[in-house]
Amino acid sequence: MPIALSEIVYYSLHMSQYDDIERRIGARIRIERESRGWSLTELAERSAVSRAMIHKIERGESSPTATLLGKLSGAFSLSMSTLMARAEMQQGRFLRQEEQPVWIDPQTGYKRRHVSPKSDLPLDLVRIELPAGAEVPMPASAYAFMRQLIWVLEGRLTFLEGDVRHVMSEGDCLELGPPTDCVFRNETGEPCIYAVLVLRNA
C-alpha cells in the first residue's frame, strides 16, 4: 500500500520535534550539573548512572530512558517533571494542547505529555500513556522532593510502591506515601492512560 505524502511529512515533523526535545533534555542535564559545579564522575556517583552514559546523553548521542531520567532528576533534588519542564517549555500561564511537550521513552514506548504551563506554581500536571505490557521502574530518589497523586483515566494500572501493590482502575486516585522504589506496570493487553499531579516542596 503506498504511503501518502501527508503521512511522510507528519512522520518527519514528529521525529524532528522528538529529536529536538532529546537534545534539549541533554543540554538541560548538562546545565543542571555544571550549575552545581559537579563533574561527570560526581553526577554518576550521585545518580548511579554511568559516566559514559551521562556523557552521551548530554551530547545528544543517546536517548535517556524514563528510569535514567528519574535517577538523574533525583540526583539534582528535582522531580522528573521539573527537570523535563526546564528543558521543554517557556514561561507562561497558557499552554495549548499542540504546544504541550511530548516525550516518548525509547525503551518502553511510555508517552509523557506535560499538560500544565511552566509557571511559578509549585505544581506539575502530566499525562502518561503506558503501552500494553510495559513496565517503568522509578527509584526512590525521584520522589524525595515532592508529593504526588496518580489518577487513572483509562485502562488499568498496577503500581508497585515498595512492597505494596496497588491495582488501579479507571477513576481511581492514589496519593504516594514516603519515598520508595516504585514500578508503573501495565499488565493488560490495552494501553493505560493516567495523570500524575506533582506538588513540589516549597
Side-chain angles (χ1 to χ4, degrees):
M1 179 180 297
I3 299 176
L5 178 60
S6 59
E7 294 177 350
I8 296 174
V9 171
Y10 173 81
Y11 177 79
S12 299
L13 178 61
H14 176 75
M15 292 307 297
S16 175
Q17 291 171 338
Y18 177 74
D19 290 342
D20 185 52
I21 289 174
E22 293 287 289
R23 287 192 294 270
R24 280 184 281 156
I25 289 172
R28 188 70 229 180
I29 290 170
R30 178 180 55 78
I31 289 169
E32 295 292 342
R33 176 178 62 80
E34 292 180 347
S35 69
R36 291 163 172 77
W38 296 353
S39 65
L40 283 168
T41 300
E42 186 168 359
L43 177 55
E45 292 173 350
R46 290 172 178 268
S47 65
V49 176
S50 74
R51 184 182 185 280
M53 178 56 70
I54 296 171
H55 181 66
K56 288 181 179 179
I57 291 171
E58 288 188 355
R59 292 173 61 87
E61 297 172 356
S62 181
S63 299
T65 65
T67 302
L68 285 182
L69 286 176
K71 291 180 177 180
L72 292 168
S73 61
F76 293 136
S77 299
L78 299 173
S79 70
M80 181 173 161
S81 291
T82 300
L83 178 65
M84 298 286 277
R86 289 181 180 182
E88 295 172 336
M89 299 191 303
Q90 301 296 318
Q91 200 82 9
R93 295 188 300 116
F94 183 43
L95 188 63
R96 295 186 184 278
Q97 179 175 340
E98 61 269 21
E99 298 170 342
Q100 295 166 3
V102 175
W103 178 79
I104 301 174
D105 180 0
Q107 184 176 54
T108 63
Y110 158 110
K111 184 176 181 180
R112 175 190 183 280
R113 175 184 292 275
H114 198 115
V115 178
S116 54
K118 181 182 178 183
S119 70
D120 57 1
L121 285 174
L123 181 149
D124 293 311
L125 178 60
V126 178
R127 180 186 185 274
I128 305 295
E129 183 171 338
L130 190 62
E135 175 178 302
V136 177
M138 285 287 173
S141 60
Y143 303 101
F145 313 102
M146 77 293 292
R147 299 180 70 180
Q148 183 165 311
L149 294 172
I150 300 170
W151 179 25
V152 177
L153 303 176
E154 295 181 23
R156 189 171 67 188
L157 174 70
T158 298
F159 180 67
L160 306 180
E161 188 177 20
D163 296 328
V164 181
R165 175 185 170 96
H166 306 278
V167 179
M168 304 176 64
S169 298
E170 183 175 329
D172 292 348
C173 187
L174 171 70
E175 179 184 1
L176 272 63
T180 186
D181 291 343
C182 296
V183 179
F184 294 84
R185 181 183 294 165
N186 184 351
E187 298 177 340
T188 75
E190 300 293 333
C192 173
I193 299 175
Y194 58 95
V196 177
L197 192 151
V198 179
L199 181 64
R200 301 186 296 275
N201 291 339

